[in-house]
Amino acid sequence: MSERLEIRLTVNGAPLACAVGQTVASALLANSSYLLRLSPNGQTPRGAFCMMGACQECAIQIDGGIRRACQTEVRDGMRVELRGAADDRG
Ligand code: FES
C-alpha cells in the first residue's frame, strides 16, 4: 500500500490526482500543464515562473477566486480553472 495520500481536484472540469502537500502549481506542472492562463492585455501565454509567490504569473481561478497557484495547497474537491489557456498536455 502506498504511503502517499491522494487528492482529487478538477482542472477545467477534468479530474486530476495529486499528492497531499503539493501546491496547485506543482500538481499542474507534474501533469505537464505549463500554460496556466493568457495575459489580460496582450493575450500572451503565462505560466508559473518564480514558484515563491512573488511574480503573480500563476494567478488563476481556484475555487471561484483568483489565487497564486504556487502558494495554494491542494485539497480534495478543489476546482481549478485555467481561463483562456488551452490544455497543452500531451
Ligand atoms: S509562480 Fe510566481 S507567484 Fe506563483
Side-chain angles (χ1 to χ4, degrees):
M1 185 170 147
S2 173
E3 295 289 325
R4 185 175 148 174
L5 298 176
E6 192 168 280
I7 283 181
R8 293 199 177 272
L9 48 86
T10 61
V11 179
N12 290 354
L16 175 67
C18 47
V20 171
Q22 279 189 299
T23 64
V24 173
S26 67
L28 291 168
L29 289 170
N31 196 49
S32 300
S33 291
Y34 306 110
L35 177 60
L36 301 182
R37 62 183 177 87
L38 299 178
S39 67
N41 294 331
Q43 299 296 299
T44 55
R46 316 310 284 185
F49 180 68
C50 72
M51 297 296 283
M52 62 181 198
C55 74
Q56 312 293 319
E57 294 293 349
C58 67
I60 56 174
Q61 287 270 342
I62 299 174
D63 284 341
I66 301 290
R67 294 188 171 83
R68 291 171 296 174
C70 73
Q71 299 298 297
T72 305
E73 190 170 322
V74 295
R75 68 164 183 76
D76 210 33
M78 181 177 267
R79 292 172 296 112
V80 175
E81 299 290 329
L82 305 180
R83 299 241 166 134
D87 187 347
D88 65 343
R89 286 177 282 174

